[in-house]
Amino acid sequence: MLKIENLHAQVEGKDILKGINLEVKAGEVHAIMGPNGAGKSTLSSVIAGNETYEMTSGSIELEGVDISELAPEERAHAGVFLSFQYPVEIPGVTVTNFIKTAINESRKAKGLEEMPAKDMLKKIREKSELLEIDRKFLSRSLNEGFSGGEKKRNEIFQMAMLEPKLAILDETDSGLDIDALRIVANGVNKLKSKDNAVVVITHYQRLLDYIVPDYVHVLHDGKIVKTGDASLALELEEKGYDWIKNELA
Ligand SMILES: Nc1ncnc2c1ncn2[C@@H]1O[C@H](COP(=O)(O)OP(=O)(O)O)[C@@H](O)[C@H]1O
Ligand SMILES: [Mg+2]
């Protein structure tokens, strides 16, 4: 699904990612953990094609196709979904209308016609039932006055509707309460399938009490310095990131 080789990236001329190798197969959930400033958000931004970050070497393949030269929206159309850390408020545009537009934009890019209204409604109904999202929420203005949990609910709803091949959830927000974490975790657990892959980026082990990843990677100073199974997250929780730093020293 996703194959990253020797990825190096800079921001404002400063090296941030220093040789990332990562392979995520369909059906897998990977967690990327690491201390603040390790480069976790940079990695997600570089995969999504955020132009603030300059990829200086390496490759990023999605299903065997190098996507590293594609624009962010082209990557999205190819099946990459990145949750937004700081979602924009769009007064007057409802949660439903926003996602309808996003789906139809993506279809247009693939040369498909707009999704018939009946199918769209059916899909909205199915996904909102699956995720236990009530109707009132769907007619709210996008992100306007949303609580942390509501932002997460919207994000997971977008993911459910867009059905990305690869979803990257950057859970950096330290303000996330336990309800918001549960919304993300339940969403991931319900939406994961043998055909998609999820990368959850988090500073905190707590999220991984609810999502059991197949692999956990520790990012430190722009490199993946340790990979293990779910138990690695517990070990990190117990020993702290200093443990990794000391091991490397
Ligand atoms: N837009 C940016 N401009 C300048 N420096 C940045 C920018 N984004 C990230 N950095 C720097 O890159 C490093 C890694 O940041 P980041 O990827 O956000 O780490 P993490 O998500 O692991 O906390 C930090 O030193 C940060 O200051
Ligand atoms: Mg971050």
Side-chain angles (χ1 to χ4, degrees), residues 11-12 14 16 34-43 52-53 170 172:
V11 73
E12 294 172 350
K14 186 176 144 208
I16 308 290
N36 277 324
K40 302 183 299 296
S41 296
T42 301
L43 177 60
T52 311
Y53 302 87
D170 190 352
T172 49

Side-chain angles (χ1 to χ4, degrees), residues 20-217:
I20 303 274
N21 294 294
L22 177 67
E23 185 166 5
V24 179
K25 299 205 170 84
E28 292 178 348
V29 176
H30 288 234
I32 297 182
M33 304 185 72
N36 277 324
K40 302 183 299 296
S41 296
T42 301
L43 177 60
S44 59
S45 299
V46 170
I47 298 171
N50 180 333
E51 277 141 20
T52 311
Y53 302 87
E54 193 198 346
M55 190 172 147
T56 49
S57 63
S59 62
I60 306 174
E61 287 183 0
L62 185 74
E63 295 190 310
V65 178
D66 194 329
I67 59 166
S68 59
E69 298 294 320
L70 300 182
E73 62 276 14
E74 293 171 319
R75 298 187 201 200
H77 298 151
V80 178
F81 174 89
L82 174 62
S83 67
F84 299 106
Q85 215 180 314
Y86 305 107
V88 286
E89 291 187 10
I90 316 185
V93 174
T94 63
V95 168
T96 305
N97 279 331
F98 184 81
I99 197 65
K100 279 184 187 167
T101 306
I103 285 180
N104 283 327
E105 281 301 314
S106 168
R107 290 175 65 93
K108 204 159 108 189
K110 290 174 191 141
L112 298 171
E113 307 220 320
E114 287 199 352
M115 185 180 283
K118 174 168 71 63
D119 296 354
M120 186 72 83
L121 281 173
K122 184 162 169 264
K123 187 164 180 160
I124 291 170
R125 199 177 306 126
E126 277 172 13
K127 301 296 183 183
S128 57
E129 276 170 16
L130 175 73
L131 299 171
E132 295 165 46
I133 292 173
D134 71 42
R135 278 164 183 271
K136 268 192 229 132
F137 180 74
L138 298 176
S139 53
R140 297 223 358 226
S141 275
L142 196 74
N143 288 317
E144 207 177 12
F146 278 15
S147 66
E150 286 165 344
K151 283 179 187 161
K152 292 289 132 184
R153 187 164 285 138
N154 177 50
E155 216 167 85
I156 293 295
F157 177 63
Q158 290 180 353
M159 177 179 156
M161 290 294 293
L162 290 166
E163 302 178 316
K165 290 176 188 156
L166 173 71
I168 306 168
L169 305 172
D170 190 352
E171 302 308 331
T172 49
D173 191 340
S174 54
L176 281 190
D177 58 21
I178 204 79
D179 289 339
L181 290 181
R182 279 207 191 108
I183 289 165
V184 172
N186 286 339
V188 168
N189 291 333
K190 283 183 177 166
L191 298 173
K192 72 176 185 183
S193 79
K194 64 177 183 18
D195 301 315
N196 65 22
V198 183
V199 175
V200 183
I201 297 180
T202 183
H203 179 76
Y204 300 100
Q205 194 274 333
R206 208 165 52 153
L207 179 62
L208 304 181
D209 288 340
Y210 304 101
I211 300 173
V212 180
D214 299 296
Y215 295 93
V216 173
H217 309 277

